[in-house]
Amino acid sequence: MSDVTVAQFAEVLKVPVERLLKQLEEAGIQVVSADAQLSDEAKTELLTHLRRSHGHVAEPTQAAGPRKITLQRKTQSELKVSAAQGRARTVSVEVRTKRTYINRGVLEEQARVAQEEIDKVREQEEAAQRAIEEAAQRKADEEARKRSEEDNRRRTEEESRRLIEEEARRQAEQRARDEADRSRKAVERPAPRAIEAEDKSTRYGRQELHVSSDVSSRYKKKKPQRGRRSGQQAPEGRHGFEMPTAPVKREVSIPETITVAELAQKMAVKGSEVIKSLMNMGVMATINQPLDQDTAVLVVEEMGHSAKTLRENALEEELQNAAGGHGEVTMRPPVVTIMGHVDHGKTSLLDYIRSAKIAAGEAGGITQHIGAYHVTTPRGIITFIDTPGHAAFTSMRARGAKITDIVVLVVAADDGVMPQTIEAIEHAKAAEVPMVVALNKIDKNEAEPERVKNELVKHGVIPEEYGGEVIFVPLSAKTGDGVDKLLESLLLQAEVLELKASIQGQAVGVVLEASIEKGRGAVATILVKRGTLKLGDPILAGQEYGRVRAMFDETGKAVDSAGPSIPVQVLGLTGAPLAGDEFLVVESERKAREVALYRQGKFRDVKLARNTTKIEDAFSQMEDGKTQTVQLIIKADVQGSAEALRDSLQKLSTSEVAVKVISSGVGGITESDVSLAVASKARIIAFNVRADAASRNALKEQGVAIQYYSIIYEAIDDVRAALSGLLAPEVRDQIVGLAQVRDVFSSSKFGQVAGCLVMEGHVKRNNPIRVLRDNVVIFEGALESLRRFKDDVNEVRAGTECGIAVKDYNDVRAGDQIECYERVVITRTL
């Protein structure tokens, strides 16, 4: 609301102008006259003064009557006082009394007047508050109206520009067509015949010249022909369209994703033809089904055309060209990644370097996150990245090797080369970065450095003393012996590499880790590669964007900027980016949002295109009913842990049992996660996160199974046990006894009875049997009778004779063998 005069404001408040001027003067607001301008700040100050005074009551007038009446009364009396000589005297005593009477009516009138005054002041306060609110609302409405008018104007301009461009393009095409028609007509028109001289002599003895009729007809007005529209060309004995004698081959441009309808339109064929070609390739697709680029290229080549793949990363390439590194390059600190097997002392070594206890803070004493720290040494700054050594964190170690300059391979001198040690060597070789080997735990009596060196030589890690290029540093992370030499070796290696980067321009780096924290939102740990990151910079990280609201170093201290090779925590992104995503500073937050939305849509299209159903998949889905699955929803504290847990659990799947991860993400357990678990009949795996109060109530009501973990291998073991419980048990036949038939007798009750001698083990009445003849099974069944002499027995052991009647079988002969066995159920495990 614009400023108003005192008179206008008094009219709004419905109070006299003089009274408003007096109140403004009491509030300390200098106003010259009723025509003076009154700002919004002055109105707010007046309202505050009225509230603080809480109703000032004016003094009553004299006409209202006295508030109290004082009455005085005099009374006289006499007292007799005895004199000293015995004679009495009379003394007169005057008593004065005073009484004050309060006028109740005046008090009631004053109270009424005061209450009216308070009500008026309150009404003024409410009116002032309403005026201020109305002013704010009018101001907001005015801004909204201006924004709407600006949007409408911009849309109108864009529409006009588009119409003008379309009209210009249409006119250009029309001119091109007209020019082509004129050229074609000029070619097809027969050339005029020259003036012919005829041998006709005139009476004057000269020859007469005659002009050809074709030439003269050009200047005659042509008569319109009936039955033909104006502008239509006359037929010249041929069709306007001729069928091509050879198939037309087109060059089809294919983006990263394209629908079947768009592909058919570019090839000038029917959509059914493209669908038929896809079915011949084993892909089931509809007319609106998006296809990935590789599939579309195969279809185009199958139908006889040539494919041209398009690059749709022009927007991102423009960002890459504009990002950092345009200034003068200077030396930068080296980025060192510490890798090795679990429990070989990686974090303890870094702990000694930083002089802070970190290993004790990790659950189970093992590192489960990527930690980034930079330390200052007398010779310079070194940035360290500590990676987990557990087998589940393969992707984390691979990311650490890709973004590093030097790899420190920590090997315990008492343990030697282990599986994760070999894996770290492979990652370092794939990243083509130099390696420094730290032989840890040399203070132990079981340490064998030479044996460890020989084991490393087998895997291509050759020390300098053996003629190689790898520096070996014996040290002890516990006592600190050899740590200084390791730092010197790292700085020496960095000098050889001549690591340089520009500190000017927009920052570019990589996301090491990301999480969702309560009260802070998305928190990303990033490592700056070049440029300088500052507070307030608009950044883009993968599919997320935002502005740097706050930055912290590894100790939690707030910083204003971060240069090359410096890790920081950044707040202000719209969501948690994926670990390993590249981040960069862009020119504006609008540009960052545009690229992020483009990446999200592109990711959805590619994912949908890759999920195209194939014929063999359709048949395999019919067999899925026979496969037992465990449905899981994974929630972790950081992206790296969620990724490692998802990959490790999916590797447990077999042909009989499988792990299906419905969803994986970062942050606490929410009600939507519980609803998803109920709908998909899944259990929730919570890794270093917890459920809030609402989610706990939903878990109890819905009966959803949830397990909390802080160590990754415990979660893997529990899921493996659950999968083992779904495996069908294995039933094995175990032979417990073997009897030799010596003779066969006839019995009126049982038919044929075999007289046998138990050769091995024992024969029980309730066990199933097999009849063998020449070591070939000829019958499987059960015993009908087992006797020892004339007594029925339950068991006959080896070396004892017995009579056996086989149930439902009367072809037992002397020399046959009766094998007694039992079925054993064996529980299977993964």
Side-chain angles (χ1 to χ4, degrees):
M1 177 179 178
S2 60
D3 297 343
V4 298
T5 62
V6 177
Q8 293 173 346
F9 193 56
E11 184 179 355
V12 172
L13 299 179
K14 297 181 181 180
V15 296
V17 178
E18 294 78 8
R19 185 177 185 82
L20 182 59
L21 290 172
K22 182 179 180 181
Q23 290 177 347
L24 289 171
E25 183 180 358
E26 292 174 354
I29 302 171
Q30 299 297 330
V31 179
V32 179
S33 63
D35 296 331
Q37 297 289 332
L38 198 61
S39 63
D40 292 341
E41 292 78 3
K43 300 173 191 174
T44 306
E45 188 175 352
L46 174 61
L47 177 61
T48 304
H49 169 70
L50 292 175
R51 287 177 174 173
R52 186 167 56 248
S53 61
H54 196 62
H56 174 71
V57 183
E59 293 294 334
T61 60
Q62 295 296 330
R67 292 180 297 174
K68 58 184 178 179
I69 299 175
T70 303
L71 300 180
Q72 295 182 351
R73 178 176 295 178
K74 297 180 181 179
T75 58
Q76 294 182 352
S77 61
E78 295 181 352
L79 296 177
K80 291 183 179 182
V81 181
S82 60
Q85 294 80 8
R87 296 179 62 185
R89 291 179 58 188
T90 301
V91 179
S92 298
V93 179
E94 184 180 89
V95 180
R96 299 179 181 179
T97 59
K98 182 188 291 185
R99 289 192 178 183
T100 301
Y101 297 93
I102 299 175
N103 190 347
R104 300 290 182 182
V106 173
L107 293 179
E108 292 176 357
E109 182 65 20
Q110 290 178 355
R112 185 184 61 78
V113 172
Q115 185 64 35
E116 291 178 354
E117 192 72 18
I118 291 172
D119 294 340
K120 290 181 180 179
V121 172
R122 288 178 178 173
E123 290 178 0
Q124 291 180 4
E125 292 177 358
E126 293 176 356
Q129 183 66 26
R130 285 195 301 272
I132 293 173
E133 292 176 356
E134 290 175 358
Q137 183 65 30
R138 282 194 294 272
K139 186 175 182 180
D141 294 343
E142 182 67 21
E143 292 178 354
R145 184 183 61 78
K146 290 181 179 179
R147 285 196 301 269
S148 177
E149 291 178 355
E150 182 66 21
D151 293 341
N152 293 334
R153 183 185 61 78
R154 186 168 57 254
R155 283 196 297 269
T156 303
E157 291 178 355
E158 292 177 357
E159 184 67 20
S160 301
R161 189 183 306 110
R162 186 181 62 81
L163 293 176
I164 292 172
E165 291 176 355
E166 290 182 356
E167 182 65 22
R169 180 177 54 82
R170 188 184 60 78
Q171 291 178 0
E173 292 177 354
Q174 184 64 32
R175 286 195 298 270
R177 285 195 298 269
D178 295 343
E179 189 69 26
D181 291 342
R182 285 195 296 270
S183 301
R184 182 173 54 80
K185 290 178 181 178
V187 171
E188 293 176 356
R189 184 184 299 117
R193 285 177 292 184
I195 299 176
E196 300 175 355
E198 297 183 5
D199 256 347
K200 294 183 179 180
S201 300
T202 62
R203 60 180 175 177
Y204 301 105
R206 61 178 176 84
Q207 292 180 344
E208 185 176 355
L209 294 177
H210 291 274
V211 181
S212 174
S213 61
D214 291 340
V215 177
S216 61
S217 63
R218 290 171 55 191
Y219 304 100
K220 294 181 180 180
K221 186 175 181 180
K222 296 182 180 180
K223 297 181 180 180
Q225 298 181 8
R226 290 162 51 179
R228 182 176 295 131
R229 295 190 300 270
S230 61
Q232 185 176 356
Q233 298 296 328
E236 298 182 1
R238 61 179 181 178
H239 295 287
F241 173 76
E242 295 182 358
M243 287 291 292
T245 57
V248 179
K249 291 186 178 181
R250 293 179 173 85
E251 185 181 38
V252 182
S253 57
I254 302 175
E256 292 193 0
T257 59
I258 186 172
T259 63
V260 174
E262 293 173 350
L263 186 60
Q265 183 179 5
K266 289 189 175 185
M267 291 189 295
V269 297
K270 294 182 179 180
S272 58
E273 298 292 332
V274 179
I275 295 176
K276 186 186 298 183
S277 179
L278 285 169
M279 293 183 67
N280 293 333
M281 296 170 56
V283 178
M284 306 291 292
T286 61
I287 191 67
N288 295 320
Q289 177 77 40
L291 303 175
D292 61 299
Q293 196 175 61
D294 296 337
T295 305
V297 168
L298 293 177
V299 173
V300 170
E301 294 177 352
E302 181 72 19
M303 300 188 72
H305 302 280
S306 61
K308 178 183 177 182
T309 58
L310 295 181
R311 295 174 56 191
E312 296 186 351
N313 298 328
L315 188 63
E316 298 188 8
E317 290 177 357
E318 178 185 352
L319 293 178
Q320 293 290 346
N321 295 332
H326 299 294
E328 182 181 357
V329 294
T330 57
M331 300 297 293
R332 65 171 178 86
V335 178
V336 179
T337 298
I338 299 180
M339 304 176 71
H341 192 70
V342 63
D343 200 25
H344 273 202
K346 300 181 298 298
T347 307
S348 299
L349 173 61
L350 183 61
D351 179 28
Y352 182 85
I353 295 174
R354 298 179 61 236
S355 300
K357 295 295 181 183
I358 303 173
E362 293 284 355
I366 63 172
T367 301
Q368 303 182 110
H369 307 130
I370 284 186
Y373 320 95
H374 73 280
V375 297
T376 303
T377 64
R379 296 187 58 180
I381 298 175
I382 305 176
T383 298
F384 287 97
I385 298 177
D386 184 17
T387 61
H390 194 272
F393 296 96
T394 302
S395 56
M396 280 193 182
R397 287 191 294 277
R399 279 197 301 271
K402 288 180 180 178
I403 63 178
T404 189
D405 300 317
I406 305 171
V407 169
V408 174
L409 181 64
V410 179
V411 185
D414 61 337
D415 200 4
V417 177
M418 301 299 287
Q420 272 64 60
T421 308
I422 301 173
E423 183 185 311
I425 295 173
E426 297 298 330
H427 288 320
K429 289 181 179 180
E432 297 181 355
V433 293
M435 188 185 311
V436 176
V437 177
L439 291 175
N440 195 15
K441 302 183 182 180
I442 61 171
D443 55 325
K444 287 191 174 183
N445 297 328
E446 301 85 2
E448 298 179 5
E450 293 300 325
R451 179 180 62 85
V452 176
K453 287 184 180 180
N454 294 330
E455 291 179 356
L456 289 172
V457 168
K458 296 178 182 179
H459 294 90
V461 182
I462 304 174
E464 290 180 331
E465 55 265 30
Y466 290 0
E469 299 179 353
V470 181
I471 301 175
F472 277 64
V473 181
L475 55 86
S476 172
K478 184 177 181 181
T479 62
D481 185 19
V483 175
D484 294 336
K485 184 178 179 182
L486 175 65
L487 296 178
E488 292 179 0
S489 301
L490 293 175
L491 292 172
L492 178 61
Q493 188 73 42
E495 291 178 2
V496 174
L497 294 175
E498 296 183 355
L499 304 173
K500 295 182 180 181
S502 172
I503 61 174
Q504 306 295 331
Q506 299 171 347
V508 177
V510 65
V511 178
L512 297 178
E513 197 58 273
S515 61
I516 301 292
E517 297 183 10
K518 188 174 183 180
R520 303 177 74 188
V523 180
T525 303
I526 61 177
L527 179 68
V528 181
K529 296 171 65 177
R530 64 177 186 269
T532 302
L533 183 64
K534 307 182 187 67
L535 282 177
D537 284 347
I539 60 175
L540 174 69
Q543 300 180 18
E544 307 298 336
Y545 68 94
R547 189 178 292 274
V548 180
R549 307 296 181 189
M551 281 194 301
F552 304 94
D553 59 10
E554 64 270 14
T555 61
K557 180 181 177 182
V559 294
D560 295 333
S561 62
S565 301
I566 300 299
V568 289
Q569 281 189 337
V570 173
L571 275 65
L573 289 171
T574 55
L578 298 178
D581 283 346
E582 185 180 21
F583 92 93
L584 50 90
V585 176
V586 295
E587 58 184 11
S588 64
E589 193 170 358
R590 181 190 60 80
K591 191 75 171 179
R593 180 173 62 252
E594 179 184 356
V595 178
L597 295 178
Y598 164 73
R599 289 178 177 176
Q600 293 172 8
K602 176 180 172 183
F603 174 77
R604 284 193 299 267
D605 293 342
V606 173
K607 184 177 179 181
L608 185 60
R610 289 178 179 173
N611 288 338
T612 305
T613 305
K614 297 184 178 180
I615 294 179
E616 54 268 23
D617 295 339
F619 288 107
S620 63
Q621 289 175 2
M622 298 173 62
E623 302 293 332
D624 283 346
K626 301 179 182 179
T627 303
Q628 300 291 331
T629 60
V630 175
Q631 314 275 1
L632 296 178
I633 295 176
I634 299 174
K635 294 300 289 289
D637 53 345
V638 293
Q639 283 282 5
S641 298
E643 178 185 7
L645 195 58
R646 182 183 67 246
D647 295 343
S648 300
L649 294 179
Q650 287 179 342
K651 289 179 181 178
L652 299 176
S653 301
T654 64
S655 58
E656 297 183 48
V657 291
V659 174
K660 185 176 182 181
V661 179
I662 304 298
S663 172
S664 66
V666 296
I669 310 298
T670 61
E671 289 187 87
S672 60
D673 296 328
V674 179
S675 302
L676 180 59
V678 173
S680 58
K681 298 180 181 179
R683 65 176 67 184
I684 301 176
I685 301 294
F687 187 76
N688 285 334
V689 294
R690 296 293 181 267
D692 54 16
S695 302
R696 287 196 296 270
N697 294 333
L699 288 169
K700 291 180 182 178
E701 294 175 359
Q702 303 293 342
V704 177
I706 182 171
Q707 284 89 24
Y708 297 98
Y709 299 99
S710 59
I711 303 176
I712 191 167
Y713 54 75
E714 292 182 356
I716 297 173
D717 292 343
D718 287 354
V719 175
R720 181 184 288 110
L723 291 174
S724 300
L726 295 178
L727 289 174
E730 183 178 354
V731 180
R732 295 182 182 177
D733 293 344
Q734 184 175 355
I735 300 173
V736 298
L738 182 64
Q740 182 76 32
V741 179
R742 296 297 179 87
D743 201 355
V744 181
F745 307 96
S746 297
S747 170
S748 58
K749 184 177 182 180
F750 301 106
Q752 286 187 340
V753 177
C756 304
L757 175 65
V758 180
M759 308 298 292
E760 299 175 4
H762 57 273
V763 178
K764 287 186 177 181
R765 179 192 295 273
N766 297 326
N767 286 355
I769 65 166
R770 296 188 184 98
V771 179
L772 283 70
R773 183 172 299 164
D774 297 331
N775 293 324
V776 177
V777 178
I778 61 174
F779 178 77
E780 288 191 24
L783 292 177
E784 188 174 11
S785 173
L786 178 62
R787 288 192 175 189
R788 172 103 173 118
F789 298 109
K790 293 185 179 181
D791 300 328
D792 288 333
V793 294
N794 292 325
E795 180 181 346
V796 178
R797 295 192 171 273
T800 309
E801 293 182 348
C802 63
I804 298 176
V806 182
K807 189 176 183 180
D808 299 332
Y809 188 70
N810 291 320
D811 192 22
V812 181
R813 302 176 186 176
D816 292 347
Q817 292 177 335
I818 297 179
E819 183 181 79
C820 183
Y821 65 95
E822 61 182 7
R823 287 187 169 90
V824 180
V825 178
I826 300 176
T827 303
R828 298 169 58 196
T829 59
L830 290 177

